[in-house]
């Protein structure tokens, strides 16, 4: 379920709040191949399904950075900030990829608002993100991310 806030004061009120989980998103071979083309990372573990079957994971896996990049659309399922001029991705404080995402798996995002602080012209928000894999105990990705919103 999407939480919608109107303006920076309502965003600040979210500090410490769990935003829940996004909808599931299936990771297809087509998505993995498109990411490989965009980044130039065509390692066989990602793009050669036949060879990957005999590899360490028994199937092709998504790139870790593909998994991380999908945080953006999944986060859009969880939080909408209206009444601001713009929001920007300010950076990452920590990222880990504890478990591979096999092609055909479904992932979703769990998010918590760590803090929302004033900065010149707006706010800086820190979130803890966990990308979960359907049916797998270990997460695909854990990250602490920082965004800025400008009024």
């Amino acid at each position: 379920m999407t939480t919608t806030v109107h303006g920076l004061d309502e965003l600040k009120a979210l500090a410490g709040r769990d935003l829940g989980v996004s909808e599931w998103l299936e990771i297809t071979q087509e998505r993995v191949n498109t990411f490989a083309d965009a980044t130039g990372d065509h390692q066989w573990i990602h793009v050669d399904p036949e060879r990957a079957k005999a590899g360490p994971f028994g199937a092709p896996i998504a790139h870790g950075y593909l998994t991380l990049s999908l945080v953006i659309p999944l986060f859009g399922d969880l939080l909408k900030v209206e009444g601001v001029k713009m929001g920007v991705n300010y950076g990452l404080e920590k990222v880990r990829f504890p478990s591979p995402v096999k092609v055909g798996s479904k992932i979703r995002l769990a998010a918590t608002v760590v803090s929302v602080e004033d900065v010149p012209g707006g706010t800086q928000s820190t979130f803890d993100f966990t990308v979960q894999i359907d049916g797998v105990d270990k997460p695909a990705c854990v990250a602490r991310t920082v965004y800025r919103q400008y009024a």
Side-chain angles (χ1 to χ4, degrees):
M1 185 163 130
T2 305
T3 298
T4 301
V5 296
H6 304 278
L8 299 180
D9 288 336
E10 287 186 20
L11 180 61
K12 290 177 196 177
L14 292 180
R17 183 168 161 199
D18 180 355
L19 296 176
V21 295
S22 70
E23 296 293 322
W24 291 105
L25 173 69
E26 183 176 354
I27 302 303
T28 65
Q29 187 64 56
E30 179 182 7
R31 185 183 294 269
V32 171
N33 292 346
T34 300
F35 187 84
D37 290 343
T39 62
D41 181 354
H42 292 92
Q43 184 180 26
W44 63 268
I45 196 70
H46 306 301
V47 299
D48 187 340
E50 289 306 311
R51 186 173 176 194
K53 283 181 188 175
F57 306 109
I61 61 169
H63 305 73
Y65 287 116
L66 169 56
T67 302
L68 180 63
S69 73
L70 293 171
V71 162
I72 300 301
L74 293 171
F75 188 45
D77 285 350
L78 298 178
L79 180 64
K80 301 273 189 244
V81 181
E82 297 179 346
V84 297
K85 287 183 183 173
M86 69 174 172
V88 296
N89 182 347
Y90 194 68
L92 299 161
E93 292 181 359
K94 181 179 179 182
V95 178
R96 298 287 183 269
F97 304 105
S99 187
V101 178
K102 293 180 183 181
V103 168
S105 297
K106 292 181 182 176
I107 63 170
R108 70 180 178 186
L109 180 68
T112 301
V113 184
V114 175
S115 64
V116 182
E117 302 168 353
D118 289 323
V119 296
T123 60
Q124 178 169 296
S125 305
T126 303
F127 299 89
D128 279 342
F129 289 157
T130 302
V131 178
Q132 303 169 340
I133 308 168
D134 191 18
V136 177
D137 290 334
K138 284 174 81 175
C141 178
V142 291
R144 178 160 282 188
T145 63
V146 182
Y147 292 92
R148 287 206 171 171
Q149 301 79 25
Y150 295 96

